[in-house]
Amino acid sequence: MKNNIKCTLGVFEDYRGCLLPIEFTGLGFDPKRVFVVNSVPVGDVRGNHSHHKTKQYIVCTNGSVNVMLDDGKTKKTTKLNKNQSIMVPELVWDSQEFLTEDAEILVICSTEYNIEDYILTYDEFIKVINQR
C-alpha cells in the first residue's frame, strides 16, 4: 500500500502538560480543512469511505484507534496511540475503530469538504479502483 507510513510525532512534555506541534510543510499537500473526531463509543467505527482526490493525515491526539486501510488489493490495520499519525492517500478505503473512551483523532485534509469527492459504498470504491 502506498504512502501510508505510521509515525510518532515529536512531543514536548513536562510538568505543565503536553505540546504536540504539527508542521504542515512535511505533509506533501497544502491543508484546506481540519476536523476532530472524539466522544465515540468504544468499539464503534467511523469513516468507512474513500475519496477521489482528498488526502488525509490522521493524528491520534488521545487514546488509541485502529486505522483500517484498503487500496483494493491490500488491507492493512494500524494501531495509533496518542501522538502517532498516519497518511491516507486518495482512493484508499479507510475506517477508524475507537479503542478507548478518551480516543480522539485530528484529521488534516488536502481539500475542502465536497460530497462529490466521497466514495460512500465499498462496491462503488472497488468499481472505481478497477477502472484505473
Side-chain angles (χ1 to χ4, degrees):
M1 194 168 308
K2 62 179 182 172
N3 302 325
N4 63 347
I5 298 167
K6 174 184 170 181
C7 63
T8 300
L9 300 169
V11 175
F12 300 97
E13 195 164 6
D14 63 21
Y15 69 93
R16 299 171 295 167
C18 179
L19 172 69
L20 173 65
I22 300 171
E23 301 292 337
F24 292 155
T25 54
L27 289 178
F29 61 81
D30 292 327
K32 302 292 187 216
R33 177 171 52 118
V34 175
F35 62 90
V36 172
V37 182
N38 59 25
S39 303
V40 177
V42 172
D44 278 11
V45 176
R46 296 292 307 252
N48 282 324
H49 61 268
S50 182
H51 295 275
H52 290 282
K53 296 179 182 177
T54 302
K55 298 172 186 69
Q56 295 183 320
Y57 184 61
I58 299 175
V59 180
C60 182
T61 56
N62 207 34
S64 297
V65 296
N66 276 334
V67 178
M68 291 82 72
L69 302 176
D70 177 350
D71 66 3
K73 295 180 182 130
T74 304
K75 294 181 182 186
K76 178 179 173 183
T77 298
T78 302
K79 183 178 181 182
L80 297 182
N81 294 311
K82 182 178 179 180
N83 303 328
Q84 293 183 320
S85 61
I86 195 164
M87 184 66 71
V88 181
E90 70 278 11
L91 293 175
V92 170
W93 187 265
D94 76 287
S95 306
Q96 307 86 41
E97 177 187 14
F98 285 69
L99 302 175
T100 59
E101 252 182 48
D102 60 346
E104 177 177 84
I105 58 173
L106 171 80
V107 184
I108 303 169
C109 305
S110 64
T111 64
E112 295 177 355
Y113 175 80
N114 178 355
I115 191 63
E116 298 299 319
D117 185 49
Y118 282 68
I119 304 170
L120 297 172
T121 69
Y122 191 77
D123 288 344
E124 181 64 23
F125 169 69
I126 293 300
K127 281 184 197 172
V128 170
I129 292 299
N130 288 336
Q131 291 173 353
R132 295 179 67 209

